[in-house]
Amino acid sequence: MSDGAADRIAWRCRRGMLELDLLLGGFWAARRATLQPDETAAFERLLGLSDREIADRLQAGEPQSDAELETLFDCLRRFEAQNIQDPP
Amino acid sequence: MNLRRFDALIVGGGGAGLRAALQLARSGYKVAVVSKVFPTRSHTVSAQGGITAALGNVDDDRWEWHFYDTVKGGDWLGDQDAIEFMCREAASAVYELEHMGLPFSRLAGGKIYQRPFGGQSKNFGGEQATRTCAAADRTGHALLHTLYQQNLAARTQFFDEVFALDLVRDAEGYCLGVTALDIETGEPLLIEARATLLATGGAGRVFWNSSNAMINTGDGLGMVLRAGLPLQDMEFWQFHPTGIAGVGCLITEGVRGEGGYLLNRHGERFMERYAPHARDLAGRDVVARAIAIEIAEGRGCGPHGDYVEAKLDHLGAAVIAEKLPGIRDLSIRFAGVDPAKSPIPVAPTAHYMMGGIPTNLHGQVVAPARFGPEEPVPGLYAVGECACVSVHGANRLGGNSLLDLVVFGRAAGKHMLETLRENPYPRPMPADAAAASLARLARWAQPGSERVAAITDALRRTMQTHCGVFRTEATLRAGLAELDRLEARLAQAGLTDSSRVFNTARIEALELENLMAVARATLVSALARTESRGAHTREDHPQRDDARWLKHSLYSRAGDAVDAKPVRLKPLTLESVKPEKRVY
Ligand SMILES: Cc1cc2nc3c(=O)[nH]c(=O)nc-3n(C[C@H](O)[C@H](O)[C@H](O)COP(=O)(O)OP(=O)(O)OC[C@H]3O[C@@H](n4cnc5c(N)ncnc54)[C@H](O)[C@@H]3O)c2cc1C
């Protein structure tokens, strides 16, 4: 992935809610080098959702029709459990 | 350079900007909204608690009581004409949102749901009132999305991911638009308009502990200072009492409105000592100071004694799930506790900027000039958290910010229509309109020995340490000395990434310049005000001093000067509320 594309994703992790800034920005910074192209594409799709939608789906954990997105939400939940509940 | 021309330009796609834009677009004018993120990702989206208006749906209420509470809440620093205007217009502004389709929660009879918030009273200081209208705990999100849809329908033109750099003014001081940077392409732009409104939101990221999203970097304030215009009341920052300890994310006051309360390490409901009457629902500054004192005096909870606890398990899982679902989720995710079972660890977090760009009731930016202390800057408006109209005075009441956005967004939109009618043709653009902005961009194309992120972190820690809930002359002077050092480092800073496309490092550098300007305005104004009022607590000057300080401060960048202008104590039609001791 070009630096421009990675930076575009980084900018789109800037959200209206601090908690999503922390989660999405933290996730991208930590995982950008290791995500597979299809996972990166799913992450960009996820960033296209509204803040509330992302927060609700993180919370609800209801299965969605988009399996890739659902895997990513699981991944975010795990990342959050490891990183944010125990802030530095 | 790429030039775009519109009738009106709105910088900022949050609630304030979108409400003003709608007024203009519906009147058939060509309106552009510029936003550094997609508008629906503006910070307004995070407002949880609601929007205040004396609808009286739950209990008796009158807008005059709301007026009184707002004057008192602001510790008499708010302008009473502006406060009357806001409280009087509140009901119509909320019904207008309802008609636009904002999905408010409903009471059993179908009326808009309202909840009690701190500082709200009946009968001018009597029993608790129930005045804040809510769409569950996502009122800001509902408001922003409603206004965005309305703007799309009205054909407002959006420039998403475009970063405004500087105001463009001509020799006579008219504002002719802004310079901007397209974040995606890295291209500079000149956006010209006959009326320009700043609605760039707050600057809470200037503090280490903050409830604000990363985008709140005070860009509009930096633009105004660089244009040689002053900022008002910048010493007044609201520290929200209940941020999740160590993270900053907000636990809304709605939690206490629904019956939650605060406990110290001894399990004591300590607010009873500080505010015997209103207890946990006293003004935010009162509760934040109480928590800071409990922590400082060793009654904080946890291994480091650095937080207190917000208890709400007694409300029951059903009420929490129904009324405060977002809060439950937030505390599970960020504090690791389910509030239906255990209390949430909380500490004060920088939340809201009461000061900002001085404006009149029409949203026109005003500044001292030849004929008086408050002359409108032609063609320039400001609304929302970046502006200071001033309705919040020295301390904002919960739910009054969303109200400020829509009431003054509408008022500014209306006045801008007049400006457009009176000025049907664009004024000539000076040849060097973009020179200063291009020089700033060129400066950030150079490498340097200092890193932007390190300076930003140091700045935020400095503000937290030296300019937090409690201040003294010594802490503020130390803060200014540190800021001088950080500014020297900033001059040596550079970027390793010189690409044009989505160069986020460059945006962060430009944001840091704005944060630095906000920090200096805050420290200098806080040092000048030798009294304690509302959210500004000087330990070395613990009393409010109306004889010397019942006035607004006006900070100018040139020479770090702090000037003053009178508080408007005369409302439009009501009796003035005379200053008295503020007790809850
Ligand atoms: C967690 C939280 C909860 C809150 N809850 C409530 C509540 O319940 N009730 C209440 O009344 N208030 C609440 N507030 C306060 C309220 O949400 C804000 O004061 C208000 O939403 C600010 O709205 P705004 O339109 O002024 O700015 P914002 O919504 O912050 O929008 C600013 C806009 O300006 C744009 N922008 C900024 N800089 C630039 C630039 N350089 N170039 C281009 N665009 C730019 C941004 O992209 C954005 O679109 C809360 C605040 C927080 C932090």
Side-chain angles (χ1 to χ4, degrees):
Chain A
M1 183 176 29
S2 72
D3 283 352
D7 285 342
R8 179 180 68 228
I9 296 176
W11 185 250
R12 292 186 179 164
C13 291
R14 289 272 205 119
R15 312 301 294 198
M17 294 161 75
L18 174 60
E19 45 274 32
L20 292 184
D21 274 338
L22 296 174
L23 172 60
L24 301 172
F27 178 82
W28 181 244
R31 300 285 164 83
R32 64 194 270 178
T34 53
L35 285 185
Q36 298 303 307
D38 53 334
E39 292 170 322
T40 302
F43 188 59
E44 277 212 88
R45 282 209 302 288
L46 183 147
L47 293 177
L49 302 177
S50 81
D51 280 38
R52 263 292 150 204
E53 217 169 327
I54 297 176
D56 286 348
R57 286 172 71 164
L58 278 168
Q59 184 181 352
E62 283 164 16
Q64 303 290 330
S65 50
D66 184 335
E68 272 177 348
L69 258 192
E70 202 37 50
T71 312
L72 199 58
F73 271 112
D74 275 342
C75 209
L76 279 168
R77 282 185 212 109
R78 280 199 302 277
F79 177 79
E80 186 171 59
Q82 287 157 12
N83 292 272
I84 295 185
Q85 286 180 12
D86 192 14
Chain B
M1 185 154 140
N2 216 332
L3 173 75
R4 303 297 304 264
R5 182 178 282 171
F6 291 86
D7 296 319
L9 167 64
I10 311 288
V11 184
L18 292 188
R19 182 60 194 85
L22 187 58
Q23 201 72 29
L24 292 151
R26 280 183 173 169
S27 303
Y29 283 102
K30 253 180 90 187
V31 185
V33 172
V34 168
S35 177
K36 65 179 174 177
V37 296
F38 285 110
T40 50
R41 294 177 201 165
S42 301
H43 191 53
T44 295
V45 87
S46 51
Q48 304 163 339
I51 174 167
T52 302
L55 305 184
N57 288 352
V58 173
D59 204 352
D60 283 350
D61 210 357
R62 286 171 45 188
W63 68 262
E64 291 89 341
W65 302 344
H66 182 193
F67 162 81
Y68 170 85
D69 290 341
T70 304
V71 173
K72 175 180 169 185
D75 221 352
W76 279 270
L77 192 74
D79 287 335
Q80 296 193 19
D81 54 351
I83 298 175
E84 175 175 341
F85 182 78
M86 179 176 82
C87 297
R88 194 146 44 106
E89 297 268 309
S92 81
V94 166
Y95 291 135
E96 186 183 70
L97 291 170
E98 182 184 31
H99 293 149
M100 286 180 197
L102 197 157
F104 282 109
S105 303
R106 299 286 162 180
L107 293 161
K111 289 183 174 170
I112 292 175
Y113 173 78
Q114 294 188 280
R115 56 166 59 114
F117 253 45
Q120 298 179 350
S121 76
K122 297 199 274 188
N123 281 311
F124 310 102
E127 292 304 302
Q128 175 73 44
T130 302
R131 190 175 292 144
T132 299
C133 310
D137 57 0
R138 50 195 59 188
T139 313
H141 169 86
L143 183 142
L144 194 60
H145 280 258
T146 303
L147 288 174
Y148 185 63
Q149 292 304 328
Q150 295 284 328
N151 269 286
L152 289 180
R155 296 179 183 276
T156 300
Q157 189 162 340
F158 285 96
F159 288 80
D160 300 335
E161 299 183 329
V162 169
F163 186 91
L165 294 166
D166 287 294
L167 293 173
V168 175
R169 294 169 77 203
D170 66 14
E172 286 162 68
Y174 273 79
C175 181
L176 308 179
V178 304
T179 53
L181 180 70
D182 183 326
I183 300 176
E184 177 166 9
T185 62
E187 289 295 330
L189 289 170
L190 183 56
I191 309 179
E192 189 183 341
R194 285 176 285 137
T196 300
L197 175 112
L198 294 173
T200 50
R205 298 307 297 175
V206 79
F207 289 95
W208 185 257
N209 259 328
S210 173
S211 64
N212 284 200
M214 308 286 185
I215 42 181
N216 281 15
T217 53
D219 298 343
L221 283 75
M223 292 166 78
V224 158
L225 286 173
R226 283 192 294 278
L229 296 167
L231 295 181
Q232 182 172 323
D233 295 339
M234 286 301 292
E235 60 275 39
F236 295 100
W237 285 84
Q238 180 167 77
F239 294 86
H240 194 289
T242 54
I244 293 184
V247 187
C249 298
L250 191 79
I251 297 296
T252 169
E253 195 165 311
V255 161
R256 283 166 289 135
E258 298 290 348
Y261 52 82
L262 299 168
L263 297 174
N264 64 18
R265 72 178 309 146
H266 307 304
E268 182 204 2
R269 236 185 123 168
F270 59 87
M271 279 314 300
E272 292 177 346
R273 271 190 279 120
Y274 296 90
H277 184 63
R279 299 191 291 188
D280 299 86
L281 284 175
R284 284 183 178 169
D285 54 331
V286 177
V287 184
R289 271 194 299 274
I291 296 176
I293 293 173
E294 290 299 299
I295 292 172
E297 294 185 352
R299 293 186 294 278
C301 307
H304 308 293
D306 54 357
Y307 59 82
V308 297
E309 293 183 330
K311 176 177 152 59
L312 54 154
D313 56 326
H314 56 284
L315 301 180
V319 170
I320 293 173
E322 187 202 347
K323 298 278 174 56
L324 304 159
I327 289 307
R328 174 162 183 265
D329 173 52
L330 206 63
S331 35
I332 292 175
R333 285 167 43 209
F334 287 90
V337 300
D338 179 349
K341 298 188 183 125
S342 341
I344 312 170
V346 294
T349 184
H351 183 54
Y352 185 86
M353 176 180 75
M354 271 75 69
I357 306 162
T359 74
N360 62 18
L361 289 182
H362 310 294
Q364 290 179 288
V365 174
V366 292
R370 225 170 346 145
F371 302 108
E374 296 195 289
E375 274 190 50
V377 176
L380 183 61
Y381 294 77
V383 169
E385 190 167 338
C386 72
C388 181
V389 48
S390 119
V391 284
H392 309 299
N395 171 58
R396 175 179 73 95
L397 293 185
N400 267 355
S401 171
L402 292 185
L403 181 62
D404 169 3
L405 310 184
V406 291
V407 166
F408 292 102
R410 180 167 70 177
K414 284 183 183 167
H415 201 275
M416 288 171 83
L417 290 174
E418 279 176 38
T419 296
L420 293 179
R421 284 186 203 112
E422 285 164 13
N423 299 276
Y425 305 108
R427 296 169 65 87
M429 184 61 77
D432 62 350
S437 304
L438 292 175
R440 280 176 70 214
L441 290 178
R443 178 245 181 280
W444 287 114
Q446 306 294 322
S449 54
E450 288 278 357
R451 284 180 49 244
V452 166
I455 301 172
T456 306
D457 277 4
L459 173 70
R460 295 178 53 215
R461 286 190 189 278
T462 297
M463 290 300 285
Q464 190 75 31
T465 309
H466 299 290
C467 201
V469 176
F470 290 106
R471 301 154 176 190
T472 66
E473 176 169 349
T475 62
L476 294 166
R477 285 204 187 282
L480 272 171
E482 188 54 37
L483 188 64
D484 288 342
R485 283 190 283 277
L486 291 174
E487 278 172 358
R489 286 175 62 187
L490 183 65
Q492 304 302 317
L495 300 177
T496 45
D497 178 1
S498 58
S499 65
R500 293 175 75 89
V501 178
F502 273 102
N503 186 336
T504 49
R506 180 163 59 174
I507 298 295
E508 282 162 13
L510 295 164
E511 289 176 331
L512 173 59
E513 291 180 329
N514 293 324
L515 281 174
M516 284 278 195
V518 168
R520 183 165 283 281
T522 300
L523 285 164
V524 171
S525 308
L527 188 59
R529 187 175 286 270
T530 48
E531 66 156 355
S532 292
R533 181 185 297 273
H536 173 65
T537 309
R538 286 283 301 257
E539 280 186 286
D540 46 353
H541 297 276
Q543 302 304 324
R544 196 176 82 192
D545 181 354
D546 287 339
R548 291 178 57 225
W549 284 109
L550 187 55
K551 57 190 182 189
H552 296 295
S553 44
L554 278 184
Y555 166 84
S556 304
R557 196 171 159 105
D560 270 349
V562 183
D563 209 341
K565 72 176 190 187
V567 174
R568 292 169 183 271
L569 293 170
K570 199 170 154 16
L572 299 169
T573 62
L574 298 175
E575 285 280 304
S576 176
V577 183
K578 298 275 181 296
E580 56 192 60
K581 199 164 156 47
R582 184 163 157 264
V583 277
Y584 283 103

